[in-house]
Amino acid sequence: MRPYDPDSLHIYDTTLRDGTQQEGLSLSVGDKLSVARHLDDLGVGFIEGGWPGSNPKDAEFFARARTELTLTTAVLTAFGATRRAGRVAADDPQVAALREAGTAVVCLVAKSDLRHVERALRTSPDENLAMIRDTVAHLRAEGKRVFLDAEHFFDGYRAHPEYALDVVNVAAEAGAEVVVLCDTNGGMLPTRVGAVVAEVLAGTGARLGIHCHDDADCAVANTLVAVEAGVTHVQGTANGYGERCGNANLLSVIAGLETKLGRAALPPGLLRELVRVSHAIDEVTNSVPDPHRPYVGASAFAHKAGLHASAVKIDPDMYQHIDPAAVGSDMRMLVSELAGRATIELKGRELGLDLSNEREALGRVVDLVKEREATGFAYEAAEASFELLLRDEVTGRQRFYSLESWRVIVEQRSDGQVVSEATVKLTSHGVRHVATAEGNGPVNALDTALRDALEKAYPGLADLELVDYKVRILDGKQGTGAVTRVLVGTSDGRSRWDTIGVDENIIAASWSALEDAVNFGLRRQGERADPNAT
């Protein structure tokens, strides 16, 4: 791998500007400051903070960043447009906002497609070039480093290549450090991107960057191909946030640069922060992490098929394109009806169980999993329930109580209020417990009653909280008589686990999942099992 040199390959993040154009994504100024800190922790070279001349929020961000944001690796950048037609850059209010943002770097956007110049800007080709020349030269004279985003470059180059090249040459001659070729509509394919970059480099000699949108599902590939063709400045957004189909996922680009192309994109040792930073930014933006994201997703190094697991047991590299640890991830084994002995053995290893000499137990577990998944269980979504099943077969069944009965009553009262009441009767360590509780639904009432009945024997149950509840009808053709799958998420304030129940009766399925959740939680807390529990 080439030595790390932040100037030889720019890693430029535009999450706080282009990423926030994603539908449904809105960040407060505090959120933007938090995301910037996470990006700086990762070691990116540039963070585009927003467009200070376009809205009060971005203006506030740059004002607060001067006193609240201390960056160790990244350089904060302000984004804006070239001066308006018929004006002078020094007198343009928007250019003034860029000067006053207080950043060492300014990134300007300019039209490079002749059709956009004439139809969107409604100005002449020569005036557009003058706008670029005047604005770049003015900001350079003010001591700013200037990058220029050549918007719609690839479409413009296809329609009017001479004019697109004029934009690059004028910007570079005026002092732009980098001219960024933008696939604004996101429709380019890798082979064409590589060819255009090579032609532009040969025709201009300018330092080039690349900015790709993902409308053809090629943004990351297009970015990497552009680097191979000679680009030395890459733009993208964390987790691929962005308008329409999103931008190039900068985290995937970084991983590809380092692990595939041998380019040092981050300071040494920071690539393994990729997963943590991805999830941290999802948390700030209130986005649900996509488990199937390359490199950083929970499923990126998850193996389900038995054939794959057998090979992974011999050599993990046989079904993994990189070492997961390189990006801060880990290999996971998924248990399902596709599982074989190798899958179960590797999963046991994850749980701290050496099953290499437990051939009979492995066979029983494989058979049980296949049998139960045929009836509707899905253990890959409920690893706590699988762990209970595995430990029961390998180390012996452990339970903390014997159930006598449970009952739920749903009542609509005269005032229209609907109340659920559950009663649970059980015995733990020779003591019979009966608890009745009300809830805002039958499952909530059952959960409360179960824990009320057990808390005297196991006070640690007070830390457990039901945090998620999902129901799926497995065969809709059966109507109300269909088999129901229930997934329950439980937390003790430090970690979370998921359990499953399947039954024709939704309450019975819910009870099964709740029982697994409580039993798993008590095991995790190291509580003493009841040797007489059944």
Side-chain angles (χ1 to χ4, degrees):
M1 179 177 286
R2 300 183 192 179
Y4 174 69
D5 178 356
D7 196 52
S8 68
L9 178 63
H10 290 174
I11 304 299
Y12 185 105
D13 181 274
T14 180
T15 304
L16 300 182
R17 200 272 307 173
D18 218 358
T20 59
Q21 296 186 53
Q22 177 170 301
E23 183 176 3
L25 196 156
S26 179
L27 300 181
S28 68
V29 174
D31 291 336
K32 293 184 69 166
L33 291 167
S34 181
V35 170
R37 294 184 186 102
H38 286 305
L39 292 168
D40 187 55
D41 287 344
L42 182 62
V44 304
F46 300 88
I47 297 173
E48 189 174 81
W51 189 329
S54 68
N55 64 83
K57 184 190 291 185
D58 281 0
E60 181 186 348
F61 168 80
F62 285 104
R64 289 178 58 180
R66 284 195 285 271
T67 58
E68 298 179 34
L69 194 60
T70 302
L71 301 176
T72 57
T73 61
V75 176
L76 191 62
T77 304
F79 178 89
T82 56
R83 68 158 172 85
R84 293 184 181 181
R87 293 193 177 185
V88 176
D91 299 329
D92 190 294
Q94 180 179 262
V95 177
L98 291 172
R99 290 195 308 266
E100 295 161 8
T103 63
V105 181
V106 170
C107 184
L108 295 171
V109 62
K111 301 293 186 185
S112 58
D113 185 337
L114 192 57
R115 295 165 300 178
H116 281 262
V117 172
E118 296 173 339
R119 299 177 192 176
L121 286 183
R122 297 184 180 182
T123 192
S124 69
D126 286 344
E127 175 62 7
N128 180 58
L129 295 176
M131 291 157 61
I132 294 170
R133 183 184 299 108
D134 185 20
T135 312
V136 172
H138 170 71
L139 290 170
R140 290 288 292 119
E142 292 291 319
K144 305 289 186 182
R145 297 172 65 185
V146 179
F147 303 156
L148 185 122
D149 282 359
E151 190 180 34
H152 294 284
F153 182 85
F154 290 94
D155 295 329
Y157 185 82
R158 180 165 48 200
H160 301 95
E162 298 85 1
Y163 189 77
L165 289 176
D166 284 345
V167 168
V168 176
N169 281 319
V170 165
E173 289 164 5
E177 186 176 325
V178 179
V179 180
V180 183
L181 311 184
C182 300
D183 181 20
T184 310
N185 289 342
M188 294 298 293
L189 298 179
T191 51
R192 184 63 181 149
V193 167
V196 170
V197 168
E199 291 169 12
V200 175
L201 275 173
T204 67
R207 179 172 186 176
L208 300 181
I210 186 73
H211 176 114
C212 296
H213 285 253
D214 204 29
D215 300 70
D217 205 20
C218 291
V220 171
N222 286 342
T223 303
L224 295 174
V225 163
V227 172
E228 289 186 302
V231 155
T232 57
H233 170 111
V234 298
Q235 296 189 1
T237 61
N239 298 323
Y241 302 148
E243 193 174 18
R244 303 185 312 276
C245 303
N247 287 44
N249 185 339
L250 190 62
L251 307 185
S252 293
V253 169
I254 289 168
L257 288 169
E258 294 228 358
T259 67
K260 308 298 182 184
L261 301 185
R263 299 293 296 270
L266 301 175
L270 291 184
L271 182 63
R272 58 176 172 264
E273 296 295 313
L274 212 65
V275 170
R276 182 189 65 78
V277 169
S278 170
H279 293 178
I281 292 175
D282 270 336
E283 187 70 25
V284 175
T285 61
N286 198 29
S287 303
V288 178
D290 181 356
H292 303 292
R293 280 183 191 142
Y295 298 103
V296 301
S299 298
F301 302 99
H303 304 278
K304 183 172 179 178
L307 179 63
H308 292 194
S310 297
V312 167
K313 180 182 173 183
I314 299 168
D315 182 355
D317 291 343
M318 295 177 74
Y319 273 96
Q320 294 181 161
H321 66 113
I322 64 167
D323 179 0
V327 293
S329 188
D330 199 1
M331 182 180 74
R332 294 172 55 234
M333 303 307 300
L334 302 179
V335 177
S336 73
E337 76 278 5
L338 301 178
R341 283 185 171 86
T343 304
I344 305 300
E345 184 178 341
L346 288 170
K347 190 66 183 177
R349 192 181 300 169
E350 284 182 24
L351 301 173
L353 295 173
D354 182 3
L355 305 180
S356 54
N357 296 318
E358 301 284 352
R359 193 166 178 78
E360 289 186 12
L362 286 172
R364 291 196 303 271
V365 172
V366 169
D367 291 343
L368 274 171
V369 168
K370 292 180 184 295
E371 176 186 324
R372 293 188 183 181
E373 295 231 345
T375 67
F377 281 79
Y379 283 110
E380 66 181 271
E383 293 195 350
S385 286
F386 171 74
E387 183 173 341
L388 289 174
L389 182 155
L390 179 63
R391 292 188 183 277
D392 282 351
E393 292 299 321
V394 176
T395 63
R397 181 181 172 88
Q398 278 189 312
R399 290 295 179 265
F400 299 87
Y401 60 87
S402 296
L403 178 68
E404 182 179 325
S405 67
W406 59 263
R407 178 181 65 183
V408 178
I409 300 171
V410 180
E411 175 187 15
Q412 179 171 318
R413 295 176 177 170
S414 59
D415 61 359
Q417 184 181 12
V418 177
V419 176
S420 298
E421 180 183 280
T423 300
V424 173
K425 301 176 183 179
L426 54 83
T427 300
S428 180
H429 297 285
V431 180
R432 186 171 183 262
H433 301 277
V434 179
T436 299
E438 290 185 349
N440 56 16
V443 177
N444 177 239
L446 269 177
D447 178 47
T448 303
L450 174 58
R451 288 195 279 142
D452 285 352
L454 282 171
E455 276 186 11
K456 288 184 180 178
Y458 305 107
L461 277 179
D463 295 335
L464 270 57
E465 179 184 8
L466 193 153
V467 295
D468 198 9
Y469 177 79
K470 294 186 179 76
V471 176
R472 181 176 176 186
I473 305 302
L474 299 182
D475 186 359
K477 296 178 181 179
Q478 299 298 318
T480 56
V483 173
T484 303
R485 175 194 295 154
V486 169
L487 288 169
V488 165
T490 305
S491 172
D492 59 3
R494 297 175 298 278
S495 59
R496 168 187 164 141
W497 55 92
D498 296 292
T499 53
I500 191 170
V502 175
D503 200 279
E504 292 180 0
N505 184 302
I506 188 173
I507 307 302
S510 301
W511 173 261
S512 178
L514 288 172
E515 278 203 300
D516 272 7
V518 167
N519 277 305
F520 186 85
L522 291 173
R523 277 186 180 238
R524 175 164 288 193
Q525 291 175 346
E527 294 285 3
R528 181 171 61 91
D530 182 351
N532 299 314
T534 58

